[in-house]
């Protein structure tokens, strides 16, 4: 039997946000190579006979190098095994999937990508906001603040109308001052509404609402975190406002807490 | 019993790309209000007792107005029913979800968003490319070309370095000349690699590779379509190249056809 590598999105953490296909593949995989961002709840779904290897990198501390990941995928596939390369969120977005695809193509190993729910979608759902809105935001830019550099820098000049685009910063890092400075420098007003969403699709989810100018006064929410900046973030209502409106504060399964800096 | 509205992402079309949660909700919904973009294969999964209403808009021809959709959701929820508002892709991205959330909040109707796999992720997976790549593309802009207007216009000036950002144009429309003109006007080189992906997650999937300059010579692929422009699109290999490299052209379940304009 010919081996195959499936580059699979594990979604944002909640096992219920796995796709049906991802769940099926996890149940029949011979080997699962997973990142740190894949939640323990998802890993628990992998049946006992499968080999499960953690190949994540945390804060630049490499457990396994990118080249070793390539060698593992290719080696197992050549043994005829079904390999699931499991990544947090969607494999096409911030996952070094480009390099893994190249290695698999060069090695002539059969592969398939299985898309997943990306973190920005999960964060928006947790906050009860859209990422685009025909009235306020005609586009959404998915970027990363990992290593303290917001790459929106290349794309939004001072002439830009930032309120027309929502910016979702994946892994904004602990130094939010850098993120704030870069967005302001590129034309975003300090009054731009922001939501900092921590562990969006887990029982530990927390959401902090503030303005871009007050971003670095955010409480130290735990990783993974995602920042949503733009007019759409204003409608992510804090707990009090939701209760006034007669809503339950929390989606039933998620202990989502909202706080606001005045 | 209190009714509730679930704003649910149906993903890109393949029922296997529904989340586990979306599938569970479809199986227990009293009422499903769905868009045109939701695939027949997904709708088939809804059990017979549920009321299924199509509330889509196709090419500006309104079957049901946005206000009528709001009234339906609110009315059914007030009757104590479990309402699934089912949208193609992810509800936070290009789905008028912002307006529906506002209506539900104003009516004090309990709601929850369930994120889904967005079309750009599915298109990238079908083409076997990432949307970001630390070597070529540090961000991805999700925008829309519906009504022949690419909204990247507001955000990428001539000073932009477009190769650093991938642009995914949802619903680029039939007039690709407009899309090409707007992207070129905003600083994208006509040599920018493009992939036009039709019905990404279905047995009818088709992918056309070309440059931005040759975009309007694309074959008339059927809707829904998504355009990926940027350096990452170059690695979406045409069928011939994949076969040479010893790969199967097609992922097993998808009849993905690739073509190239020389």
């Amino acid at each position: 039997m010919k081996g195959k590598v499936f580059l699979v999105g594990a979604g944002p953490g909640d096992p219920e946000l796995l796709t049906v296909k991802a769940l099926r593949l996890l149940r029949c995989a011979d080997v699962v190579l997973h990142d740190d961002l894949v939640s323990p709840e998802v890993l628990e779904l992998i049946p006992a006979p499968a080999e499960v290897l953690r190949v994540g990198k945390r804060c630049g501390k490499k457990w396994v190098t990118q080249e070793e990941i390539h060698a593992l995928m290719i080696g197992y596939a050549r043994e005829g095994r079904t390999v699931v390369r499991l990544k947090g969120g969607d494999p096409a977005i911030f996952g070094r999937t480009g390099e893994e695809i190249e290695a698999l193509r060069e090695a002539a190993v059969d592969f398939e990508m299985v898309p997943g729910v990306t973190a920005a979608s999960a964060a928006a759902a947790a906050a009860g906001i859209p990422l685009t809105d025909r009235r306020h935001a005609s586009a959404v830019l998915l970027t990363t603040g990992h290593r303290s550099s917001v790459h929106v820098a290349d794309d939004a000049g001072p002439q830009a109308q930032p309120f027309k685009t929502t910016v979702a910063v994946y892994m904004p890092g602990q130094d939010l001052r850098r993120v704030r400075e870069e967005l302001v420098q590129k034309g975003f007003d300090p009054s731009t509404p922001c939501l900092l969403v921590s562990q969006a699709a887990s029982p530990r989810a927390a959401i902090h609402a503030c303005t871009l100018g007050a971003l670095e006064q955010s409480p130290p929410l735990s990783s993974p975190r995602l920042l949503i900046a733009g007019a759409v973030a204003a409608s992510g209502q804090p707990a009090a406002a939701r209760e006034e409106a007669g809503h339950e504060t929390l989606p039933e399964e998620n202990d989502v807490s909202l706080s606001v800096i005045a």
Side-chain angles (χ1 to χ4, degrees), chain A:
Chain A
M1 211 189 89
K2 235 177 100 187
K4 184 168 176 178
V5 175
F6 294 87
L7 300 158
V8 177
D14 179 352
E16 277 223 311
L17 294 180
L18 281 168
T19 62
V20 173
K21 188 166 188 170
L23 184 59
R24 177 171 63 77
L25 289 169
L26 286 179
R27 284 180 174 159
C28 72
D30 298 314
V31 184
V32 178
L33 305 172
H34 71 89
D35 284 344
D36 289 323
L37 284 176
V38 177
S39 73
E41 292 84 356
V42 165
L43 295 176
E44 275 167 22
L45 298 171
I46 305 168
E51 260 185 77
V52 180
L53 297 173
R54 176 180 169 181
V55 296
K57 306 177 189 65
R58 194 182 287 277
C59 297
K61 193 172 171 184
K62 294 183 183 180
W63 303 99
V64 179
T65 66
Q66 194 61 44
E67 290 66 34
E68 283 167 334
I69 294 172
H70 300 169
L72 284 167
M73 290 192 300
I74 292 164
Y76 283 118
R78 285 188 174 154
E79 286 172 11
R81 312 240 225 152
T82 297
V83 181
V84 168
R85 175 73 180 97
L86 191 64
K87 292 162 179 287
D90 175 60
I93 298 172
F94 306 124
R96 301 208 177 166
T97 297
E99 288 152 83
E100 296 180 12
I101 288 170
E102 259 181 36
L104 293 167
R105 281 193 175 134
E106 276 165 26
V109 166
D110 193 18
F111 76 91
E112 182 177 335
M113 283 171 77
V114 180
V117 173
T118 192
S121 297
I129 61 164
L131 292 168
T132 65
D133 188 309
R134 60 177 172 157
R135 301 162 302 172
H136 318 299
S138 56
V140 54
L141 184 77
L142 311 183
T143 184
T144 173
H146 205 55
R147 304 179 187 201
S148 311
S149 151
V150 178
H151 299 291
V152 66
D154 297 332
D155 303 283
Q159 306 82 357
Q161 298 170 17
F163 281 97
K164 287 286 187 75
T165 295
T166 306
V167 177
V169 183
Y170 286 58
M171 299 169 286
Q174 291 304 326
D175 188 1
L176 294 169
R177 186 178 52 85
R178 293 285 295 269
V179 175
R180 191 251 308 156
E181 281 174 358
E182 289 204 44
L183 287 172
V184 169
Q185 195 186 330
K186 301 308 163 191
F188 282 76
D189 195 275
S191 68
T192 304
C194 288
L195 290 174
L196 194 62
V197 183
S198 163
Q199 305 189 78
S202 95
R204 301 167 295 282
I207 301 173
H208 171 71
C210 61
T211 60
L212 182 57
L215 189 58
E216 62 225 67
Q217 286 124 51
S218 301
L221 302 180
S222 56
S223 292
R225 304 185 304 166
L226 188 138
L227 172 69
I228 300 173
V232 293
S235 58
Q237 293 181 7
R242 282 204 182 189
E243 276 157 11
E244 273 166 27
H247 295 294
E248 288 174 30
T249 309
L250 314 177
E252 265 148 42
E253 295 90 340
N254 293 349
D255 181 21
V256 177
S257 66
L258 291 119
S259 64
V260 186
I261 284 187

